[in-house]
Amino acid sequence: MATEWTVLVFGDSWAQYMHPCWPEVLGSEKLSSRVLNFANAGSLCSDLHMQAQQALMHPQVPKVGGGMLKKETLVVVHTCGNDFIQKMLGAVFGGAGVPEVFRPNPGTREAAMITSFMELMYRAGARNFLISGVPAFPEMPIWSMLWPFLTTLVNQGKLVELGVSPQDDPRLALDVQITALHDRWEGLCADFQRSHDDTKCVFFDEVGILEKLRNKIGSGIFDRQMWDFSMFHPTYWGHQQIAGEAHRIVASNIPQLAALVPHPEAQTPAAAANTSNTNANNSNSNSSTVAASTVGGGTSVITGASSDGTSSTAAPSPAAAAGEAVWTCNDCTLDNDPARTICEACEAPRPKGDSAPQPAVSSNPITVKVRNVKGDTSFSVDIDGNSTVAALKAALLANAPASFAPPGSKIVIALGGKFLSKDDDRLVDVQIQNNTQVIAVPRPATASAAKA
C-alpha cells in the first residue's frame, strides 16, 4: 500500500462529479493513498493554474522544508473535455463554422496550458505526473447527436484541409483528429520528461483504454453500463474500470509505486526499460522482427525487418518495384528513379538510350514509424526520404501485419492532424524525416476519395 503517498487531482468533471471518478478511485482504492481533489466540474483547461494555486496553499497538502511538495506526491490531470465540447456545440448551435477540433493541429493552446501547469507544479516539488488524454471516444453516446453535423461538414467540403473529401465517411475526420490529439498529449508528456530528467511524466491514453475495455468487456455490456444519462460521463462502474487501467499504467511506469502497489498485468518499469532498449538495439541493427509492449500500454510493435533475420531495405518506388531499372543522367551521372522523365538533380531529359540497368541507391534512407488510429498496432517502414507518398503507401501495405487492413484496402496517411492527399509529394517535402511517426487509416478499395 502507498499510504505515505498523496494523490492530487486536477481537471474537470471526469475528475470531480456526483460520484467518485477514476482519479479518486485510483488514489483511494487502488493505491491506498490520501486523495485531495482540486478539480471542478465544468472547468476548462485555463482553470488549471487556479486549481494549482489552491492546492499549493491548502494546509492539508503534505509539504517538506521550504513549503515544497513531498516526493511521494502523484499529480493526476484530466482536462480539456469541456474545452472541445464548447467549441463543438458553438459550431453546431451557434453557426460558428468548422470548430477548431476539426482543423489541422488541434489542441495547441490547451497543450501549452497543461505544460505551463506542470512547470508550476514541478517548481513546487512535484515529480510524478499522470496526464490523461482527451476522451474523444467515438463510441461515446453523445456522438450520435454530432454525426449529422460532422457529415454535413464533410459533404460541404469544409474538411478538405484535413484531406477529407465530400462523401467520405465522417468517421475518418474524427479518427485523424483523435490521433492528432493523442500524439500532441503523448508528445507533451515526453517533452516534459526529457527536459526534467528527475521526473516521471506518464501519458494516460484514455481513448485507447476505453477501446481496450470495450473489447475486453464486450460492446453490449460496455455500452449499457459505461455511460450515465449525460451520454458523456462514465458511471461509477465505468470509472472503476478506468481506474483499474490507470493502476496498471502507474505500476508500469513509476518504480516507487510499482514496488508498493504492483498490478498483476503491469510490466515493471525496469523490465519495460530493458525491453525498450532491446527493441531500439534490434531496430538499429535491422535484426529480426520484434513484438513488444510499450511501457504499460499494450501496443504491438513490429519492426520493418524481415522475420528471417535479414535487414530490411528501403522500399522502392512503384516503378522500381515493377522491375524497371534506374537510369543514369548523362550530364551529372545521377541515378534516377525509373518513373522520372527528367533528372532529379539537373533536370536534364532522360536519354533515349538508357545505360545498362544499375541497382537503385537510396540517397536518403529513413525509418518511418507507423501506427493505426487506436494505437494497438504499430510498425516501422524503411524507405528513401526522397521517394513519394505513393511509395510510402505501397511500402506500408507491404510491411503491415496481416490484420492491419483487409485485402485490397487502400491506405490514407495522416501527419500533424491532416491527411497527405498528394501521392506525388516527396516525403522530405511533407516533413517526413527519420523516425517521423505517421498515422495510417485503412479504407475499403471502393472508397470515394480515390486521391487518398
Side-chain angles (χ1 to χ4, degrees):
M1 296 187 295
T3 55
E4 297 299 315
W5 280 68
T6 301
V7 176
L8 303 181
V9 179
F10 303 90
D12 53 26
S13 55
W14 276 54
Q16 190 274 321
Y17 198 51
M18 64 180 66
H19 51 64
C21 299
W22 71 258
E24 294 177 298
V25 176
L26 168 67
S28 61
E29 298 184 16
K30 306 300 181 181
L31 306 182
S32 299
S33 302
R34 184 182 187 184
V35 178
L36 294 172
N37 195 343
F38 298 94
N40 284 305
S43 69
L44 302 175
C45 188
S46 57
D47 295 319
L48 282 177
H49 263 260
M50 179 182 66
Q51 295 177 14
Q53 294 291 353
Q54 292 173 345
L56 297 178
M57 293 187 296
H58 199 284
Q60 295 184 20
V61 173
K63 300 181 179 69
V64 294
M68 302 291 283
L69 296 173
K70 292 179 61 177
K71 64 179 181 179
E72 296 88 1
T73 300
L74 175 64
V75 173
V76 182
V77 180
H78 186 291
T79 188
C80 294
N82 290 321
D83 296 73
F84 293 117
I85 287 176
Q86 284 191 8
K87 294 174 183 180
M88 182 68 73
L89 294 181
V92 173
F93 299 111
V98 180
E100 184 264 351
V101 72
F102 284 107
R103 293 174 182 162
N105 301 312
T108 303
R109 173 176 170 271
E110 289 79 9
M113 290 181 180
I114 294 174
T115 300
S116 177
F117 162 84
M118 290 194 293
E119 291 286 358
L120 175 60
M121 297 302 294
Y122 178 85
R123 291 193 298 269
R127 294 296 183 269
N128 297 283
F129 297 85
L130 180 65
I131 309 298
S132 175
V134 180
F137 183 55
E139 307 301 333
M140 193 179 295
I142 197 171
W143 281 105
S144 63
M145 299 174 56
L146 300 175
W147 284 125
F149 169 72
L150 188 54
T151 300
T152 299
L153 290 180
V154 171
N155 291 339
Q156 290 179 349
K158 293 184 177 180
L159 300 185
V160 292
E161 196 175 11
L162 297 181
V164 180
S165 303
Q167 308 307 318
D168 276 348
D169 185 345
R171 175 93 179 218
L172 287 172
L174 180 60
D175 283 349
V176 73
Q177 294 305 83
I178 289 173
T179 302
L181 290 170
H182 170 284
D183 290 352
R184 186 173 297 282
W185 260 243
E186 185 178 49
L188 77 86
C189 291
D191 290 344
F192 189 85
Q193 183 157 316
R194 274 194 295 268
S195 60
H196 304 79
D197 57 10
D198 57 344
T199 297
K200 289 294 182 182
C201 186
V202 182
F203 170 60
F204 184 56
D205 179 14
E206 200 165 47
V207 171
I209 292 302
L210 290 170
E211 183 69 32
K212 175 186 176 181
L213 289 171
R214 192 170 189 261
N215 291 335
K216 178 181 178 180
I217 296 170
S219 59
I221 296 176
F222 179 95
D223 293 344
R224 287 194 304 271
Q225 298 188 22
M226 176 58 69
W227 313 107
D228 71 2
F229 63 91
S230 70
M231 301 192 297
F232 173 72
H233 293 101
T235 60
Y236 177 56
W237 177 87
H239 277 290
Q240 287 180 310
Q241 309 311 307
I242 299 172
E245 292 299 312
H247 178 201
R248 177 177 62 84
I249 297 300
V250 166
S252 297
N253 289 276
I254 301 179
Q256 300 95 319
L257 288 172
L260 296 171
V261 280
H263 187 283
E265 298 178 9
Q267 184 179 14
T268 63
N274 290 336
T275 300
S276 177
N277 291 335
T278 301
N279 292 341
N281 292 335
N282 287 337
S283 178
N284 291 336
S285 62
N286 287 321
S287 61
S288 60
T289 300
V290 177
S293 294
T294 58
V295 184
T299 301
S300 172
V301 180
I302 304 173
T303 69
S306 60
S307 58
D308 62 1
T310 59
S311 61
S312 58
T313 58
S317 69
E324 297 181 35
V326 298
W327 59 272
T328 302
C329 176
N330 290 339
D331 291 0
C332 70
T333 71
L334 177 72
D335 289 333
N336 286 275
D337 186 279
R340 298 189 65 88
T341 58
I342 62 173
C343 177
E344 184 176 6
C346 68
E347 298 187 350
R350 179 174 180 170
K352 291 183 179 180
D354 293 343
S355 58
Q358 299 180 27
V361 177
S362 176
S363 59
N364 181 23
I366 63 173
T367 297
V368 179
K369 298 178 180 178
V370 187
R371 62 181 288 266
N372 65 350
V373 172
K374 294 179 182 178
D376 57 2
T377 301
S378 62
F379 55 99
S380 62
V381 171
D382 295 330
I383 194 168
D384 187 341
N386 292 320
S387 60
T388 64
V389 171
L392 177 58
K393 291 179 179 179
L396 190 156
L397 285 172
N399 285 275
S403 60
F404 185 76
S409 294
K410 295 183 177 181
I411 295 293
V412 292
I413 298 173
L415 175 67
K418 64 181 298 184
F419 288 122
L420 304 180
S421 57
K422 296 182 179 179
D423 280 353
D424 56 353
D425 280 347
R426 294 194 312 162
L427 302 184
V428 67
D429 293 333
V430 295
Q431 306 305 310
I432 294 181
Q433 304 169 351
N434 192 40
N435 289 324
T436 294
Q437 179 173 276
V438 301
I439 311 304
V441 182
R443 278 179 166 174
T446 56
S448 61
K451 69 175 183 178

